[in-house]
Amino acid sequence: MSTNYPTRAPRHRGLFQQFSPLHLAPAWDQYSVVKARGVRIIALGGYAPYCTSGWVVEQAVGCIELIGAKVAGLGQMLLIGFTLSEQPRPAGFEITDTDAIGTLTMPARCFAACVAIATGSNTHFRIGGDGQLNAIGSDSSLLQLPAPT
């Protein structure tokens, strides 16, 4: 396990300490918890597919787009679609030239509950990995994953 802080010799203290930049970019193969800075919501009739950013939700009754701050030049986003389909698409995660995008497709009956969470003042979301653990929560501590052992 690597650390973000460089190892320094004992003689490098105080004013003589060497400058070493920290690597602050997320490790996308792991999951990152992000504070939502913006939210966009659309309600639909469930008769047609909904497309955004190359992602499609069949028989869409709604979509929530949670937007986080830019990190390492990438915008962070979680797209949550709500469908009447019996076979929703699996969750996913991808990195484009400009964004880190997590996707999540849920049954239509979950739409109102997720809107309530998404419009809260302390909304956070989790994206990364293969996308299977993408999530939304009302507090960042709820979304933390246990450290691998």
Side-chain angles (χ1 to χ4, degrees), residues 33-37 66 116-125 136-143:
V33 176
V34 181
K35 178 155 178 54
R37 304 277 184 221
L66 294 167
I117 296 169
T119 56
S121 62
N122 197 32
T123 302
H124 285 72
F125 59 93
I136 179 176
S138 62
D139 189 273
S140 64
S141 64
L142 298 171
L143 299 172

Side-chain angles (χ1 to χ4, degrees), residues 11 14 28 30 44 58 67-68 94 97-98 101 112 129 132 137:
R11 67 181 182 276
W28 292 115
Q30 304 296 316
L44 303 161
E58 298 295 333
I67 303 152
E94 73 171 310
D97 291 339
T98 58
I101 304 171
Q132 297 302 307

Side-chain angles (χ1 to χ4, degrees), residues 57-62 81-85 87-88 105-109:
V57 179
E58 298 295 333
Q59 293 181 293
V61 296
F82 300 88
T83 181
L84 293 172
S85 173
Q87 299 275 328
T105 307
M106 301 177 75
R109 66 182 176 274

Side-chain angles (χ1 to χ4, degrees), residues 5-84:
Y5 297 100
T7 306
R8 296 191 174 105
R11 67 181 182 276
H12 294 142
R13 293 187 187 178
L15 296 175
F16 300 107
Q17 187 170 348
Q18 292 177 328
F19 172 74
S20 300
L22 296 177
H23 178 63
L24 298 175
W28 292 115
D29 56 331
Q30 304 296 316
Y31 285 85
S32 295
V33 176
V34 181
K35 178 155 178 54
R37 304 277 184 221
V39 62
R40 298 186 329 163
I41 301 170
I42 185 170
L44 303 161
Y47 301 108
Y50 176 74
C51 299
T52 184
S53 301
W55 176 64
V56 180
V57 179
E58 298 295 333
Q59 293 181 293
V61 296
C63 186
I64 299 173
E65 180 180 291
L66 294 167
I67 303 152
K70 280 196 170 196
V71 173
L74 296 175
Q76 300 173 98
M77 181 183 321
L78 176 62
L79 303 172
I80 309 170
F82 300 88
T83 181
L84 293 172

